[in-house]
Amino acid sequence: MTLPFSPLFIDGEWRPASTGATFDVYNPTTGKVVGTAASASAGDCAAAVEAAARAFPAWESTPAMVRRDIFLKAADILETERYREKIARVAGEEVAATEDMMPFSHYGQLKGETFESVVPGGRVFAHRRALGVVFGIAPWNAPTGLTVRALGVPLICGNTCVLKCSEESPRTQAIIAELFEEAGLPKGVLNFISTSREDSPARTAEMIAHPMVRKINFTGSDRIGKIIAGEAAKYLKPCVFELGGKAPVIVLEDADIPRAARAITSSALLNSGQICMSTERVIVHRGVAPMLLRELTTLFKRATAGNIETDPSAVLGALFTPGSAENVLAMIKDAVANGATLVLGDVKRQGTIVQPHIVTDVKPGMKLWERESFGPVAVVAVVDTIDEAVDLANASEYSMSAGLWTKDVHGTFDITSRIRACCTIVNGPTVHSEWHRNLGGLGGASGYGHFNIEDWTQLRMTILHPADEPAYPMIAKLNRAVPVGTNGVTNGTANGSTGNN
């Protein structure tokens, strides 16, 4: 059987790499090759950026309503059974996805403002303009939703895009390029690039360096984020980074414990914990800790990981690589060796399959506390006071999401104001986002920047001076100055003359 092939999409054309280079794509559960993809050359990447640059003037000048209509058409197409079936099938093959996150309706108004100038009678006209070519890098763990986000707001603001997909999910992410092509997006406005893992660092650096690339966005690990930030810093190019998460959830004595346990379980295990908003740290008041731990253990035991294609009892899929699975287990082993207690889990893997784990007595300084696991693992810490809970929640480089469980409405706002997180969810799951005001990090390991209109436009000003000419300070000085003759000597002082007073 011929394996499916994922080509590049450059200047409105689907094509192989100019060198003919390809790479294999593997199913994480079985380890079998499920497709091949074009591995773009340096020339292909340059062609993609240059196509986007050529398309930019016309796309920026396209009325916002026309751009919106293309997006609305794409959203309608995405809702068809044809696309839903294709995405579910291909994502299942490439990344063992159990469900899709396909947020799409994100449309804002590009508006300006006018106000009086500091010059009497003058006016200032401030307006938002697109940046130019945006280079986006989207990950595999929510391959449709995060691909749309990487290019959606930049495109609707009038930018053009080059989108580099993950090496794990090229065919799934290419579906978004197909979608926009079908919706009528002009050629060159969106260009789609895939590269092998070996070629990715060089191709990424080359595209960042291209003078026509104005801004970069990347969703992924903080390790890779630092590399990309370093490349962008060479050219003083701005970036938006959505990186890792280590979401803490504080559970107070007055919380609805069964409901809190359900929300924590959902956010800890959804997509096998491979979401930046996953609940990884549970910080619970001592008075309700035994009850919460019992509830969590019961729910976690019911969540079986396995081959979701063949095992009807499996509700969790594989982790994305054997290395990722091994890293999760290494973090758990390290914690136990340093005094943590394993409450649930076998600390084993079957290839990329890891069963849910709960670990208690995990403390700051342990790798399982400090670093994102990206696996089906929750750690539980017990505290005696709210101040201690807040301090533990903030004992992290991550700042993406957090949670709080309490019935004290008035106390809620005091506590959430002290938690260093972009978004703190009260009495709900940490895997949650308001798409009209999206998540982001507050710096550090969670990154910085957002996917809002103001992040993908530049505020430019036109200042109109009044019809009546004002007094110019330099001209007034010139008018008061004593004239100088053509020989460079002040008129009237040559040959010893003192001139007129």
Side-chain angles (χ1 to χ4, degrees), residues 55-75 104 106-111 128-131 151-160 180 183-186 189 453 456-457:
F56 173 65
W59 180 244
E60 186 194 23
S61 64
T62 300
M65 292 300 181
V66 174
R67 298 200 296 263
R68 179 205 62 182
D69 289 345
I70 292 174
F71 269 68
L72 292 176
K73 184 176 181 181
F104 208 92
H106 193 321
Y107 172 70
Q109 291 184 337
L110 296 172
K111 59 183 179 180
R128 290 204 164 269
R129 298 296 299 272
L131 305 170
L151 55 86
V153 178
L155 284 177
I156 208 163
C157 287
N159 301 287
T160 53
F180 275 104
L185 195 70
V189 173
I453 295 295
W456 300 102
T457 54

Side-chain angles (χ1 to χ4, degrees), residues 384-396:
D384 294 301
T385 67
I386 291 174
D387 289 343
E388 186 183 357
V390 171
D391 288 344
L392 277 180
N394 291 337
S396 174

Side-chain angles (χ1 to χ4, degrees), residues 8-25:
L8 312 175
F9 185 62
I10 300 174
D11 205 16
E13 295 182 356
W14 294 96
R15 65 199 213 194
S18 57
T19 60
T22 64
F23 63 95
D24 292 335
V25 181

Side-chain angles (χ1 to χ4, degrees), residues 472-483:
Y472 301 121
M474 193 65 207
I475 299 302
K477 287 183 179 181
L478 293 176
N479 289 337
R480 291 195 302 269
V482 178

Side-chain angles (χ1 to χ4, degrees), residues 352-373:
T352 52
I353 303 294
V354 174
Q355 298 300 329
H357 287 69
I358 297 175
V359 188
T360 61
D361 304 314
V362 179
K363 298 177 175 62
M366 297 181 182
K367 190 175 181 182
L368 189 56
W369 183 277
E370 300 289 342
R371 299 298 299 165
E372 181 179 40
S373 72

